[in-house]
């Protein structure tokens, strides 16, 4: 079979997961509570079909077989996250030795199978005790996070060479402090902005700490969900709406992470509306000196915007949405299960933007994927024939390939996700995996896309 789309040598093929979404064993192995355990205990009705995070996909007990499966489908790299509340129950203090053993075993097993572990430190899972003292609103939590990060560098830094401070740090801001889909369910832009700002300080401080170890070739980065903003039209009002959406949802984290400072226009806008966060002396220098080595890009959907149809209610809470409306482009292609538009070229536009405006920083697609409901419908002779997922992946890979041809510095592609996992409030509604997971028996079965991925990885293209 001839290969039309060949990727650069050493391209990273793999997938990504997060601790809370796959480990299970939420009350085992000495783990402390995190905000998901707590929120589920007090409001189980907010989770799809009442399914909580206690067992999820049971990776805690089946990681050895799962890692074999990764090898079987050609993974050369795999991203996991460490659970802060498992390693340091309560968020600080004594190290949980059972957690050390678990993460050591996972890391060693991956390496034994020639799969490079990419390790992320925070994936939406604040330890409950840290949330109780204010979470990211409290600068003390920032310092405790850096202590936790340092414990991870000490324990695993000899074998882990790709670290990430945060996955999608904007999501806890949006979910927890603006739009009510994460605990603590606050709606308050001023607090949201403080949370976002302190998260960036936490990232910069963790990077500073990492570099003090002098790990040689090892790299540290951040993973951002970049949702390119497309205006409805070239009308100046639509263009302005799209520029502001981009400032809020992309550049708020991209600029400080890669360039070391916030966009001037964002600061101005927040100042005009009395929304600037509290800062401390030395913050500006800290951010400027501790930008990332590597950028993970999560891409699922574009953001289409238009000028507002109506003025915002002046008595409503201040929101980014005061400056734009979402635009439902007629004829857009939808993943109707997740309610997200599919726009493959977005991946190319992101990469070109990184090349032109962000120094062509080394990057990779750290998440891309398609969550589909009731996938058993597509079962034929015991296998889920997920051709829609294969089409989704190839559509995006073609554009990624094009970007690389044009000189973009993209080094890999990780699917969300390796196996079906627990999607926060959506629990197991939409399935994302190369492998299906039976929720009763926890049995894994490869879908058609698993075989497809194996071929792509083995041929380094398709
Ligand atoms: C990203 C997150 C993942 C994952 C994925 C799919 O935003 O980093 O944790 O869940 O999206 O989204 P969802 O689970 O909401 O369908």
């Amino acid at each position: 079979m001839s290969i039309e789309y060949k990727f650069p040598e050493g391209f990273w093929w793999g997938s990504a997961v997060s601790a809370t979404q796959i480990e299970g064993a939420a009350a085992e192995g000495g783990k402390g509570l995190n905000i998901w355990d707590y929120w589920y205990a007090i409001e189980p009705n907010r989770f799809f079909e009442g399914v909580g995070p206690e067992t999820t996909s049971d990776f805690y007990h089946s990681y050895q077989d799962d890692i074999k499966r990764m090898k079987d489908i050609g993974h050369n790299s795999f991203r996991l996250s460490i659970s802060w509340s498992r390693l340091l129950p309560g968020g600080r203090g004594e190290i949980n030795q059972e957690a050390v053993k678990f993460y050591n075993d996972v890391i060693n097993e991956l390496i034994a199978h020639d799969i490079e572990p990419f390790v992320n430190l925070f994936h939406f899972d604040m330890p409950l005790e840290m949330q109780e003292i204010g979470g990211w609103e409290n600068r003390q939590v920032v310092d405790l996070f850096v202590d936790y990060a340092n414990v991870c560098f000490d324990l695993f830094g000899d074998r882990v060479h790709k670290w990430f401070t945060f996955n999608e740090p904007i999501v806890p801001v949006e979910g927890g402090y603006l739009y009510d889909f994460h605990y603590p369910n606050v709606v308050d832009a001023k607090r949201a902005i403080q949370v976002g700002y302190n998260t960036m300080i936490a990232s910069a401080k963790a990077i500073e700490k990492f570099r003090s170890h002098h790990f040689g070739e090892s790299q540290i980065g951040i993973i951002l969900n970049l949702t390119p903003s497309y205006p409805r039209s070239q009308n100046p009002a639509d263009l302005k709406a799209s520029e502001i959406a981009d400032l809020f949802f992309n550049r708020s984290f991209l600029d400080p992470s890669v360039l070391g400072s916030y966009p001037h226009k964002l600061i101005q806008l927040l100042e005009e509306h009395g929304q600037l966060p509290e800062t401390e002396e030395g913050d500006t220098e800290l951010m400027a000196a501790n930008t990332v080595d590597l950028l993970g890009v999560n891409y699922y959907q574009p953001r289409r915007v238009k000028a507002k149809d109506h003025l915002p209610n002046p008595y409503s809470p201040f929101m980014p949405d005061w400056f734009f409306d979402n635009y439902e482009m007629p004829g857009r292609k939808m993943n109707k299960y997740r309610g997200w538009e599919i726009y493959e070229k977005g991946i190319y536009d992101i990469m070109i933007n990184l090349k032109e405006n962000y120094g062509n920083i080394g990057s990779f697609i750290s998440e891309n994927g398609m969550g589909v409901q009731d996938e058993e419908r597509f079962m034929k002779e015991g296998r889920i024939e997920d051709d829609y997922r294969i089409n989704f992946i190839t559509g995006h890979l073609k554009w990624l390939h094009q970007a690389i041809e044009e000189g973009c510095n993209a080094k890999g592609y990780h699917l969300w996700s390796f196996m079906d996992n627990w999607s926060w409030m959506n629990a197991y509604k939409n399935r994302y995996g190369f492998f299906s997971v039976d929720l009763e028996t926890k049995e894994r079965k490869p879908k058609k896309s698993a075989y497809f991925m194996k071929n792509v990885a083995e041929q380094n293209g398709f």
Side-chain angles (χ1 to χ4, degrees):
M1 210 174 82
S2 76
I3 296 178
E4 202 176 335
Y5 300 92
K6 187 93 187 157
F7 284 81
E9 210 172 311
F11 206 67
W12 305 329
W13 297 108
S15 57
V17 299
S18 89
T20 310
Q21 296 178 272
I22 62 154
E23 281 179 8
E28 262 180 76
K31 180 178 155 296
L33 295 179
N34 66 31
I35 54 172
W36 295 96
D37 304 311
Y38 179 71
W39 190 23
Y40 178 68
I42 57 170
E43 279 195 289
N45 51 298
R46 303 231 16 205
F47 297 82
F48 186 72
E49 290 179 342
V51 175
E54 64 277 47
T55 51
T56 62
S57 301
D58 202 35
F59 184 72
Y60 190 79
H61 296 112
S62 53
Y63 67 89
Q64 283 173 317
D65 289 337
D66 285 332
I67 291 170
K68 276 196 204 93
R69 292 183 183 99
M70 288 171 205
K71 187 69 196 168
D72 287 345
I73 64 167
H75 277 29
N76 60 21
S77 47
F78 174 68
R79 173 176 42 119
L80 65 143
S81 75
I82 290 177
S83 158
W84 184 356
S85 59
R86 186 180 292 289
L87 192 63
L88 299 175
R92 59 178 134 190
E94 216 165 300
I95 301 173
N96 171 14
Q97 292 306 326
E98 284 181 78
V100 176
K101 179 174 181 333
F102 171 64
Y103 291 116
N104 265 331
D105 288 349
V106 169
I107 289 166
N108 294 340
E109 193 76 11
L110 285 165
I111 294 171
H113 285 81
D114 277 327
I115 299 170
E116 181 174 2
F118 289 19
V119 176
N120 172 38
L121 295 167
F122 190 90
H123 197 126
F124 312 166
D125 52 352
M126 184 64 88
L128 184 60
E129 285 84 347
M130 297 290 100
Q131 191 62 47
E132 283 170 348
I133 58 168
W136 295 120
E137 286 179 83
N138 181 352
R139 287 281 287 234
Q140 193 197 349
V141 171
V142 169
D143 291 329
L144 290 166
F145 170 78
V146 179
D147 293 346
Y148 149 69
N150 199 40
V151 169
C152 296
F153 302 147
D154 274 340
L155 288 168
F156 314 117
D158 57 332
R159 285 152 294 149
V160 173
H161 304 300
K162 299 217 175 33
W163 290 92
F164 299 90
T165 55
F166 285 87
N167 174 79
E168 302 190 352
I170 200 169
V171 170
V173 175
E174 295 175 293
Y177 295 86
L178 289 173
Y179 304 123
D180 188 31
F181 61 91
H182 278 202
Y183 190 77
N185 312 95
V186 169
V187 176
D188 185 328
K190 182 112 185 159
R191 291 174 66 185
I193 290 160
Q194 192 68 55
V195 164
Y197 179 79
N198 287 355
T199 308
M200 277 288 86
I201 295 294
S203 181
K205 285 191 170 190
I207 292 173
E208 186 181 45
K209 183 62 84 181
F210 174 81
R211 294 202 173 125
S212 73
H213 283 264
H214 302 289
F215 283 124
E217 298 292 286
S218 295
Q219 290 189 308
I220 190 159
I222 194 165
I223 290 156
L224 301 178
N225 48 322
L226 300 179
T227 46
S229 291
Y230 298 104
R232 168 181 57 182
S233 75
Q234 294 301 303
N235 183 296
D238 285 343
L239 291 176
K240 185 161 182 220
S242 149
E243 187 193 6
I244 295 182
D246 188 45
L247 284 172
F248 273 114
F249 294 106
N250 296 314
R251 298 189 58 193
S252 54
F253 287 88
L254 181 59
D255 284 34
S257 299
V258 177
L259 305 176
S261 63
Y262 284 98
H264 190 64
K265 282 188 179 168
L266 180 62
I267 299 176
Q268 233 177 359
L269 188 96
L270 296 181
E271 196 170 19
E272 272 166 34
H273 292 269
Q275 300 289 336
L276 280 179
E278 277 171 34
T279 63
E280 285 183 12
E281 217 184 305
D283 283 358
T284 312
E285 294 75 14
L286 174 85
M287 269 191 206
N290 294 289
T291 56
V292 296
D293 302 320
L294 179 65
L295 181 69
V297 174
N298 292 356
Y299 175 66
Y300 290 90
Q301 56 167 344
R303 182 185 294 275
R304 297 194 189 273
V305 296
K306 61 178 183 180
K308 286 198 80 67
D309 287 336
H310 307 283
L311 287 177
N313 171 1
Y315 306 109
S316 68
F318 176 85
M319 284 282 171
D321 321 57
W322 274 24
F323 304 94
F324 62 86
D325 279 346
N326 290 316
Y327 175 57
E328 288 189 12
M329 183 179 79
R332 68 200 175 134
K333 183 155 78 172
M334 289 296 291
N335 169 4
K336 60 178 186 227
Y337 311 101
R338 188 60 181 81
W340 286 345
E341 183 183 340
I342 300 175
Y343 183 61
E344 297 89 343
K345 179 170 177 280
I347 220 164
Y348 168 87
D349 292 337
I350 292 171
M351 287 297 157
I352 296 291
N353 181 35
L354 294 180
K355 177 176 153 213
E356 287 175 357
N357 301 308
Y358 295 88
N360 209 12
I361 181 168
S363 68
F364 70 112
I365 299 302
S366 40
E367 285 182 30
N368 177 229
M370 189 178 179
V372 171
Q373 206 169 346
D374 302 327
E375 281 197 303
E376 312 75 51
R377 280 178 294 156
F378 305 106
M379 183 86 83
K380 273 198 202 115
E381 290 159 24
R383 187 172 89 173
I384 292 172
E385 302 286 298
D386 55 346
D387 292 281
Y388 42 87
R389 182 167 290 107
I390 296 172
N391 292 337
F392 181 98
I393 298 171
T394 49
H396 285 85
L397 281 178
K398 284 178 188 171
W399 279 110
L400 184 63
H401 185 267
Q402 178 66 30
I404 295 169
E405 293 276 282
E406 293 178 31
C408 293
N409 199 2
K411 296 164 186 291
Y413 178 89
H414 283 183
L415 189 84
W416 186 269
S417 181
F418 170 67
M419 60 183 158
D420 293 344
N421 62 50
W422 188 77
S423 278
W424 315 111
M425 283 181 76
N426 278 333
Y428 278 92
K429 175 175 173 282
N430 302 313
R431 305 301 181 93
Y432 281 92
F434 284 129
F435 286 81
S436 62
V437 175
D438 180 317
L439 294 194
E440 297 295 310
T441 62
K442 304 293 180 215
E443 190 195 352
R444 284 88 156 115
K445 277 197 188 147
K447 301 176 193 173
K448 185 175 178 184
S449 57
Y451 298 94
F452 164 78
M453 196 60 208
K454 178 183 167 70
N455 268 332
V456 174
E458 280 170 1
Q459 304 170 24
N460 201 28
F462 61 99

